[in-house]
Amino acid sequence: MEHTKQVRVLMLNDMEKLEKRLFRLEQGFELQFRLGPTLQGKNVIVYTNYPPPGGTYDRQAFHPLQWHNPHGREEDSDKYCKLDLQIAGSFQYRFDHDGQKSGEGYIVVDPVLRIGADSRVLPLDCITLQTFLAKCLGPFDEWEDRLKVAKESGYNMVHFTPLQTLGKSRSCYSLANQLELNPDFSRSGKKYTWNDVGKLVHKMRTEWDMLCITDVVYNHTAANSKWIHDHPECGYNLVNSPHLKPAWLLDRALWHLTCKVIAGKYAARGLPALIQNDQQLNSIRGIIWEEIYPKLKLWEFYQINVAKAVEQFRTLLASGAQKKGSKADPKNLVIIQDLQFRRFGSTVDMETALSTFIPHSNGPAAIEECCNWFRKRLEELNAEKHKQINFHHEQAVNCILGTMTYERLANHGPKLGAITKKDPIVTSYFTFPFGEMSLEEEEPLMHQQDKACYFMAHNGWVMGDDPLRNFAGPDSNVYLRRELICWGDSVKLRYGEKPSDCPYLWEHMKKYTEITAKHFHGVRLDNCHSTPIHVAEEMLAIARSVRPNLYVIAELFTGSEYIDNLFVNRLGITSLIREAMSAYNSHEEGRLVYRYGGEPVGSFVQPCLRPLIPGIAHALFMDVTHDNESPIAHRSAYDLLPSSAIVSMACCATGSTRGYDELVPHQISVVSEERFYTKWKPNLNAPSSSEVNGASGIIKGKNALNKLHQELAAHGFIQVYVDQVDEDIVAVTRHCPHTHQSVVAVSRTAFRDPKTSFYSKEVPQMCIPGKIEEVILEARTVEQRCEPYKKDANTINGLPQYTVNIKEHIQLKDSKIVRQAGVTTKGPNEFVQEIDFENLTPGSVIVFRVSLDPNAQKSVGILRNHLIQFTAHFKSGSLQDDQVYPILKVPFADIVAKLTLADLNQVLYRCDAEEQEDGGGCYNIPNWKPLKYAGLQGLLSVMMDIRPKNDLGHPFCDNLRSGDWMIDYVSNRLIARGGACAEVGKWFAAMFAYLKQIPRYLIPCYFDAIMVGAYTTLLESAWKQMSSFVQNGSTFVKHLALGSVQMCGVGRFPTLPVLSPSLPDVPYRVNLITQEKEQCCPSLAAGLPHFSAGIFRCWGRDTFISLRGLLLITGRHIEARNIILAFAGTLRHGLIPNLLGQGTYSRYNCRDAVWWWLQCIQDYCNIVPNGKEILKCPVSRMYPKDDSPSTAAGLVDQPLYDVIQEALQRHAQGINFRERNAGTQIDRNMRDEGFNINAGVDPVTGFVFGGNRLNCGTWMDKMGESERARNRGIPATPRDGSAVEIVGLSKSTMRWLTELSKKNVYPYKGVKIQKEGREVIVAFSEWNQRIQDHFEKYFYVSEDPSDPNEQRPDLVHKRSIYKDSYGASSPWCDYQLRPNFAVAMVVAPELFTPLRAWQALEVAQKKLMGPLGMKTLDPDDMVYCGVYDNALDNDNYNLAKGFNYHQGPEWLWPIGYFLRAKLHFAKLIDRETYQKTVVLVKNVLSRHYTHLERSSWKGLPELTNENGQYCSFSCETQAWSLSVVLEVLHDL
């Protein structure tokens, strides 16, 4: 199913707190929450404060989301809960499991902005904003004339500084009344109101296509606000914040110092009123240390009255209050701060004092001695406080002098001049609304509530402070240490934690917010990083309740992207202001353009359903903000146009400040500027100081750039490339991925003044790929003759001597900046225009519109047309082709429908060894590595890593851009295979014919689109040919089932022996060499890449452990039947071969393969409809007798049931033979005795036994190879005797045959044996019962040490387990804890007492279970080693040459049986145990899912080293690993 809705998936993981990660989404998106590996199977509840359908947003109201399980099965790895995002703002989610809080995060949904009478959408990236200082707009009836400048300059959004009544300082951000429109805007005869403002804003939106936003200031109010004097509790005053008293006293002392300096009282000490050097500053340092600090004695506010405390202590001791027992540590006695901050008002805890200082008797001398110790401790504590305050004093002096240096001496500072009361030594930190008095008279006021409540702390900012910390709070010493850069006109507001802490302030600011949101489309959060975040959260929630699509911008100075994200998340900030003025050269300016938006040119097409990945905040990139100095002062007047052009090409919102475009050569101060802006007058003839038009400054150029910016965003030019041509020239390309049109802006910056700095006349040639359609604009900053600049007294005027020469929409030949443009070809279909410049002077801009070459454009259109069958994304820009290739007239899905699953193995997979056997190999990417597969999966595995990151610099992409080698490899490889595969190859070849016609930089993107479309179609085709379990299964099930396609295939040389010619439904083909018809039955590879080709591809044991999961459960019944019958044909000595070797090179050296084969026949009969018919199928015997030569198919045919019976009969009679060709030619390591094979059945127990100490006949078959370590020829794990899984498998077979023979489906009742010289029949039921009766007796290790069945209690080291074997030649091996008993539990659960089985499984879980697999040996065992290194050859007997292959490393296939056993026995215990087990199983399998998804092989490994670590010697994908996990999911 092709998604057209944009869906993002957020994986939840346990304990993941993502409040500092930014997840941005758009309205109309669907957000799905899914469970990550750490939460799979757990009872997780996701809560969110995003309102339910029909509900309204309440920040505090969280509700649970419903889980959707698309398949309705217990295996619910695909389940999700979702949000359909329809409203803007910040929303929180959190989740818990089993009542425990587990994780949380935020999502931010962008608002939808609308302009015009028709309310059309204004995309965020289209925004071009201009800031106006509201007070400079003049009377309200003149606003339109002044705002029209923004309209005619091409802006579509105006940002007003606050429109409220200003405070005494006249700063735009110091508001006296947040609810009242500034009366300055009214005239004597006409009072304007908020309604008038609202009407103007409406007119601007509907008629001018402009939106309006304004600031909200929550952090402070003007010091002269009437309401703050009526409600002093709204500020930080000395009543509600008594911790500020010492800081207030220091502040007053510094004010009095200012007064004395003005009066000349310190002139004799070298401190005049006019500070001119560092020496005079040092005088201040001396005066503060020598006069002010000693006089203030601020430490006393933190100290204890020693005499008073000692007297109180003495009284208590005398009254008999002393404690008995051992003394407490004196360090436990600490000062308790007086919360009212009175001198010597602090105390200590007398209870602690009495426990610490205990007199040795009640006598006066003892009490006095005790008091002296107490006094000594108090004096120590006071001294500590004195020292601490001295540290604060030191910092305070440094801060005072640092501020004075900046304000009075620094060249970049304001150079305030002489110390006056208007410009004191330092700005006062507190309000003081009373008359002149001495410091001695002032101090008592701070303890009088009616006075102290008016001493309120000013606001400001603290360099490098934690923005989330309240610097005026009781745990902060910022005011005492003078670290605040203070705004002396504003009082810091004290909200508390909730509205009830300061009801008036919250209500007042709520009204302010409602007025703002009612009239404006958005807000700028002033001083955002210092605004209490919980206050801003609440106020913005109120604002959004008034205007849901509120546009919110802010400037953050936190110094950390993560802290920025926290603010963006919690406040739902739409755009963060970014400053181009922060760039120190053109290179950095270009880097910022790339950083703040867009994707790389030629980016991959991302699917509609994809993971939600963290991003950076949307940017509002401003060429200058109202806080910046004028760039004319720092750079040059010539730089404003090119820097504006660079900013305008950014793929984000952009902005500027009024005055920039008019070339105002100074910063327009938010505090001191009182002049008005110029008005718009279109027909202005000469430069004027009070009016402007397009010819003024760079207005005409800015208008063209703003219009271009809006056009690029509106038409999907979302891809960006920045080229630093030379140190001053920056070329920015914006590219549209639908039409493949580009716009290239070349800007020559002028950071240095061209009049005084050298700029080369030689400009580098530029190469622009494609065909230049037009010059959109070319503009140069030029000088004109006029009166020199003079700062106007009434109007904010700019430099009149500069203007912009601009031409728009001209042909290249008419350009005055381009000397000539040559056309060259970079490749067969890639045209490049070489541009030589002649007038690209500093301050110039030229913008080209570029299209693809017409042939390339046509090829792209045709490609897009053919890609529509995969996704509607390609509809735009698509073209019909008149001369289409015939193969492309057929839908790709119809071509693919003719492929069998064996064909799909060829098309999708095939590792290097498989391909080499066919005469090919996997594609090798130069400077990187070969692909894992020759088929599409090899390519897709790489592309899946590259695509989400748009890693276009990857060697894979380089290879595609450099030539057609990989493209041709894909199609030619399939065409060469013939048949249905060739048709797929021809389709690719036809698509690639168009692909080769497009520019090389686009090839990775379109190659990926073709591959992804084809790949998903091929996967769907594979699943359609499988069982309903797969078709209706989860993504996990489906991807595991692809292991069946991956592992099951047929190469040039068939691996299986030839089946009986009389057998129906056998696939045939014509041999390309002999031209004869031959069978081509798919076989199962054991693992890739090591066991994939030649004689090492097929192994009896691996095949039949894998067959149920990969073939039977997936519905591939014919392939399963053919494999069962092919192996049946190779039966010899009653055994199925271990290594198949096409039947002619078989080795019959394993005891278990035959029992796995029998188990698969049983599974086939039970799973496949009419499955029991297989018992009658003809088997062509290769070896009718043990010593027969290889016999051709069809000469000796037997029904399968006869072959089964022969295998059982031979075991019952006893198997003894020596391997053919015994010696180094078949095994270079095995010792002579190891080639002797024996197996049989114990007549008493019914247990199958066999093997000897020098061979290894089970799956744990590592043979020692190291001469150096002396383990060569010695099996690490012989497991001779009766291996537990073989006993379980034989029991399963006996149970099954007992039932079949009863129903006469199987023609034999039992096996014949010789007993006391005569032949007797042992019925299957009897054999079955013998195993049943003896199994737990001989295999269970009881928790009872005196268990009479235990023959070797001295070897027991783990109890409540099942032995790994019985009757081993080394008896201690029987008692080793290994995972093999779980196999017996699954195939023959009836052998086990449920409670004992459960206890054994619990031990295995604790000791053996790893992240992906099961440890093959108990880690407590002395020979355990969990790291497998087959290359290591040293002296260590237990390790050398990988001797520990099965002595610790964690193999995956046993975990499948372990989990299936847990599920089976948990059901028998109780429901709660079963539910817990399901959670465990899902949790374990989620790790397999994660590995499968991330694996470039798209498989599960053979084994891992201990604790799931990667093992380089393991097969990367193993048949039985995939199979058993699929079986667990089937059981679920």
Side-chain angles (χ1 to χ4, degrees), residues 538-571:
E538 182 60 32
M539 295 304 157
L540 285 173
I542 291 164
R544 287 190 179 102
S545 69
V546 176
R547 186 177 294 275
N549 281 299
L550 186 78
Y551 182 55
V552 181
I553 65 171
E555 205 162 2
L556 290 172
F557 299 101
T558 68
S560 157
E561 189 177 305
Y562 291 115
I563 302 293
D564 281 2
N565 286 346
L566 188 70
F567 277 89
V568 173
N569 276 333
R570 288 185 58 180
L571 307 182

Side-chain angles (χ1 to χ4, degrees), residues 649-666:
M649 290 298 287
C651 189
C652 60
T654 59
S656 188
T657 291
R658 182 72 200 273
Y660 179 96
D661 300 344
E662 294 106 301
L663 307 184
V664 174
H666 57 82

Side-chain angles (χ1 to χ4, degrees), residues 513-585:
T513 302
E514 287 169 342
I515 289 169
T516 305
K518 178 182 175 186
H519 297 298
F520 292 92
H521 306 111
V523 294
R524 174 184 175 272
L525 293 169
D526 177 61
N527 199 224
C528 178
H529 54 282
S530 294
T531 302
I533 198 163
H534 65 288
V535 173
E537 270 182 306
E538 182 60 32
M539 295 304 157
L540 285 173
I542 291 164
R544 287 190 179 102
S545 69
V546 176
R547 186 177 294 275
N549 281 299
L550 186 78
Y551 182 55
V552 181
I553 65 171
E555 205 162 2
L556 290 172
F557 299 101
T558 68
S560 157
E561 189 177 305
Y562 291 115
I563 302 293
D564 281 2
N565 286 346
L566 188 70
F567 277 89
V568 173
N569 276 333
R570 288 185 58 180
L571 307 182
I573 296 169
T574 319
S575 306
L576 281 186
I577 297 165
R578 307 293 192 180
E579 299 176 0
M581 285 298 289
S582 68
Y584 42 85
N585 60 20

Side-chain angles (χ1 to χ4, degrees), residues 741-788:
Q741 225 183 41
S742 297
V743 170
V744 183
V746 184
S747 306
R748 191 168 193 191
T749 59
F751 275 59
R752 298 162 288 123
D753 190 342
K755 292 177 184 172
T756 56
S757 301
F758 172 74
Y759 282 86
S760 170
K761 289 199 169 117
E762 294 301 313
V763 174
Q765 186 188 63
M766 262 197 79
C767 293
I768 295 180
K771 179 170 176 278
I772 294 176
E773 299 282 349
E774 66 164 346
V775 175
I776 297 174
L777 69 93
E778 63 176 32
R780 292 170 60 216
T781 310
V782 293
E783 282 202 58
Q784 59 184 358
R785 296 183 66 171
C786 64
E787 292 294 314

Side-chain angles (χ1 to χ4, degrees), residues 15-210:
M15 303 313 293
E16 204 166 55
K17 295 187 169 31
L18 299 179
E19 65 270 21
K20 292 180 184 172
R21 294 283 177 86
L22 173 59
F23 295 113
R24 271 185 66 211
L25 293 142
E26 294 176 33
Q27 292 179 55
F29 279 30
E30 178 182 301
L31 174 62
Q32 294 184 358
F33 297 97
R34 296 186 182 228
L35 300 182
T38 51
L39 292 171
Q40 280 289 342
K42 293 181 178 170
N43 181 26
V44 177
I45 303 174
V46 181
Y47 299 92
T48 180
N49 60 3
Y50 185 92
T56 53
Y57 174 66
D58 175 354
R59 196 161 57 86
Q60 309 295 346
F62 285 78
H63 63 96
L65 296 177
Q66 291 299 113
W67 286 105
H68 302 267
N69 183 355
H71 311 290
R73 293 181 176 175
E74 179 67 72
E75 194 283 293
D76 55 2
S77 56
D78 275 353
K79 78 174 180 183
Y80 63 90
C81 49
K82 66 170 186 169
L83 291 174
D84 285 310
L85 303 173
Q86 304 296 340
I87 57 171
S90 156
F91 305 101
Q92 196 175 358
Y93 69 86
R94 55 177 187 237
F95 53 97
D96 58 31
H97 62 83
D98 309 314
Q100 298 290 310
K101 194 172 174 186
S102 180
E104 61 188 349
Y106 288 83
I107 58 165
V108 176
V109 184
D110 289 338
V112 175
L113 305 179
R114 296 181 182 276
I115 53 170
D118 55 353
S119 285
R120 62 189 180 280
V121 172
L122 176 70
L124 295 182
D125 290 344
C126 278
I127 289 170
T128 49
L129 168 146
Q130 192 172 41
T131 295
F132 281 75
L133 306 190
K135 65 178 180 177
C136 298
L137 281 164
F140 186 74
D141 51 25
E142 295 179 10
W143 280 25
E144 278 196 36
D145 290 338
R146 294 192 169 99
L147 290 170
K148 195 163 265 187
V149 178
K151 175 181 182 288
E152 299 300 333
S153 302
Y155 294 97
N156 56 24
M157 185 178 280
V158 167
H159 159 231
F160 296 98
T161 60
L163 280 68
Q164 281 77 5
T165 308
L166 300 181
K168 191 167 64 179
S169 71
R170 299 288 296 160
S171 164
C172 294
Y173 289 95
S174 180
L175 309 184
N177 187 342
Q178 285 76 9
L179 309 184
E180 180 183 73
L181 186 67
N182 190 341
D184 295 355
F185 303 148
S186 297
R187 296 205 185 256
S188 55
K190 172 67 176 165
K191 184 173 190 247
Y192 291 101
T193 66
W194 288 113
N195 278 343
D196 297 303
V197 172
K199 284 174 190 168
L200 175 62
V201 168
H202 179 72
K203 177 181 178 177
M204 289 173 71
R205 185 180 82 80
T206 54
E207 295 178 27
W208 292 10
D209 293 346
M210 296 180 81

Side-chain angles (χ1 to χ4, degrees), residues 146 677-680 687-692 792 795-797:
R146 294 192 169 99
Y677 291 121
T678 52
K679 295 180 179 179
W680 180 256
S688 156
S689 60
S690 60
E691 293 166 324
V692 291
D792 192 83
T795 311
I796 302 168
N797 60 324

